[in-house]
Amino acid sequence: MMEDKIDDKLDVVIVGGLGHVGLPLGIAFADKGLKVCLCDIDKKNADLVKKGVMPFIEYGAEPILKKVIKNGKLTVSLDISAISKAQYVVIAIGTPVDEYLNPKTRQFLEFFDDIKKYLNEDQIIIIRSTVYPHTCQQILNLLNGKGQISYCPERIVQGYAIKELKELPQIVAGLSDKAVEEASKLFSMVSLKIIRTSMGEAELVKLFSNAWRYIQFAVANQFYMISHNFGVDYDKVRNAMREGYERAHSLPSAGFAAGPCLLKDTMQLSAFNINNFLLGHAAMMINEGLPNFIVEDLRKKHDLSKTKIGILGMTFKADIDDIRDSLSFKLGKILRFYGAKIFYSDEYAKNPDFVSKEELITNSDVIIVAVPHSAYKGLVIPQDKEVIDLWKVTKKE
Ligand SMILES: NC(=O)c1ccc[n+]([C@@H]2O[C@H](COP(=O)([O-])OP(=O)(O)OC[C@H]3O[C@@H](n4cnc5c(N)ncnc54)[C@H](O)[C@@H]3O)[C@@H](O)[C@H]2O)c1
């Protein structure tokens, strides 16, 4: 394949630059006039981005992408050696957990072993991926003086990076004064405020933030299940709790809590704490158990082998097109196990097996709203259909 010509000098290379974290960040830096190269292994997304097309939903990003591709501030490369040309090397590749919920740290460290030959001691290496604590120190040991290591975790809600990059303070930590100074300088170009912390603090800020959200959702989901079993509407309880009562304001509504980060980072924290994180594990059991709770409740009323069930919303949260680790699929799988005929629909995620929301409503006996996409607000469901709508976005005819 013919590679694009990359300038001899670049300000920033983002490795994993075509992903959900790397791409909006690259666009934001390029929009500030920096020469940015997005380095990745995904050829399909590379072709799209070079044409100024966003490969996934990121509100407000595409017009800026088109501009920075056109003015040459943003380039794309599938050649990892591009990092040798950059002053700042931002790492935004995935940091998953394995099938036993242990962080795959070796894979991440091996990646640094592979890129070591392209780095020099003056480069600023910014870890943007979420890492298992101690990882940055291990990277420093592995690189043996090549590069200054900083950790600048991302805390943005997926889909809204262009807005939140400007609004949220950026945590910056580093393993040398130069790493902290330089990473702060770079992020000051796009962030409202820089908060400097020690490395250990930064590593925990990121994991605690996601575990905190995950536990909050678990509290709401547990309250929902208790209310439902008691014959009481959780939403009414929640509204009454919050009205004029500031201390209860942060109680979320119930709903599927999933996606590629919250559970994974809660489990990373647990692994780090020698598997001693009871609250995190309890949250996992509750959040991952919500689809089972819904199915068990349906089984009390229906012979599922004779029931047609439609699931509205297949992404892991509202108004995005990302289906990674969405609980809608788990719900469908359990229902199918009991013999139900299942229909899937989504407004953003495309799949030839999905049907339109109208077709799903017509063909289903029971409709489950799994994601509160804006397109479902006010959606009218015929009287003769049963609806499970935790967010109460739909309306009965
Ligand atoms: N998605 C989020 O909202 C979010 C928020 C905060 C933190 N994070 C963290 O950021 C990191 C990335 O997450 P993401 O959601 O952007 O993942 P992603 O899968 O969307 O993006 C990762 C990108 O890295 C690329 N990649 C993988 N291996 C590579 C390699 N060896 N060389 C070059 N490119 C490579 C992939 O092709 C992909 O484009 C993870 O650590 C995640 O936990 C994600």
Side-chain angles (χ1 to χ4, degrees), residues 324-339:
R324 289 182 295 171
D325 299 324
S326 159
L327 283 175
S328 301
F329 294 95
K330 177 173 181 176
L331 176 65
K333 196 168 133 182
I334 308 168
L335 289 166
R336 214 177 262 134
F337 177 77
Y338 288 112

Side-chain angles (χ1 to χ4, degrees), residues 253-265:
S253 55
F256 289 164
C261 289
L262 296 189
L263 170 60
K264 173 197 66 125
D265 291 343

Side-chain angles (χ1 to χ4, degrees), residues 93-292:
I93 62 173
T95 46
V97 289
D98 68 15
E99 65 272 43
Y100 307 109
L101 304 176
N102 298 308
K104 288 182 160 178
T105 46
R106 193 164 57 106
Q107 187 183 300
F108 194 62
L109 291 173
E110 277 171 2
F111 161 78
F112 285 92
D113 215 18
D114 291 344
I115 65 167
K116 194 158 77 173
K117 55 181 171 286
Y118 302 115
L119 297 171
N120 69 57
E121 65 206 28
D122 290 326
Q123 283 175 304
I124 311 302
I125 298 164
I126 296 174
I127 313 298
R128 186 73 164 158
S129 308
T130 304
V131 294
Y132 184 76
H134 290 317
T135 300
C136 294
Q137 182 59 50
Q138 294 212 37
I139 294 168
L140 182 73
N141 300 347
L142 201 146
L143 294 182
N144 201 12
K146 283 187 161 187
Q148 311 279 327
I149 312 288
S150 79
Y151 182 43
C152 302
E154 119 104 89
R155 297 185 295 162
I156 286 162
V157 62
Q158 195 171 311
Y160 299 88
I162 296 298
K163 179 170 178 285
E164 289 202 354
L165 261 171
K166 287 187 233 143
E167 293 172 354
L168 297 183
Q170 176 60 49
I171 305 286
V172 174
L175 295 175
S176 66
D177 290 344
K178 183 173 173 186
V180 175
E181 280 312 316
E182 288 291 333
S184 302
K185 202 166 93 189
L186 180 66
F187 273 98
S188 299
M189 296 185 74
V190 290
S191 303
L192 177 75
K193 185 178 178 189
I194 302 296
I195 299 174
R196 294 185 184 194
T197 70
S198 71
M199 186 56 83
E201 286 161 0
E203 288 171 336
L204 289 185
V205 164
K206 178 59 204 174
L207 293 185
F208 282 1
S209 300
N210 277 359
W212 167 239
R213 264 172 77 71
Y214 193 63
I215 291 166
Q216 281 183 309
F217 289 136
V219 170
N221 287 333
Q222 180 87 81
F223 285 176
Y224 165 80
M225 293 185 226
I226 294 171
S227 311
H228 188 84
N229 286 340
F230 191 44
V232 165
D233 183 333
Y234 168 66
D235 265 349
K236 289 190 177 161
V237 178
R238 177 172 171 260
N239 289 341
M241 280 173 74
R242 295 166 83 226
E243 191 175 328
Y245 194 69
E246 193 69 35
R247 285 190 285 276
H249 261 213
S250 59
L251 177 64
S253 55
F256 289 164
C261 289
L262 296 189
L263 170 60
K264 173 197 66 125
D265 291 343
T266 306
M267 290 306 109
Q268 295 215 68
L269 186 56
S270 172
F272 173 64
N273 203 40
I274 325 170
N275 284 326
N276 187 3
F277 184 26
L278 287 178
L279 264 177
H281 282 278
M284 175 176 71
M285 286 164 70
I286 296 162
N287 289 331
E288 289 287 308
L290 187 57
N292 305 70

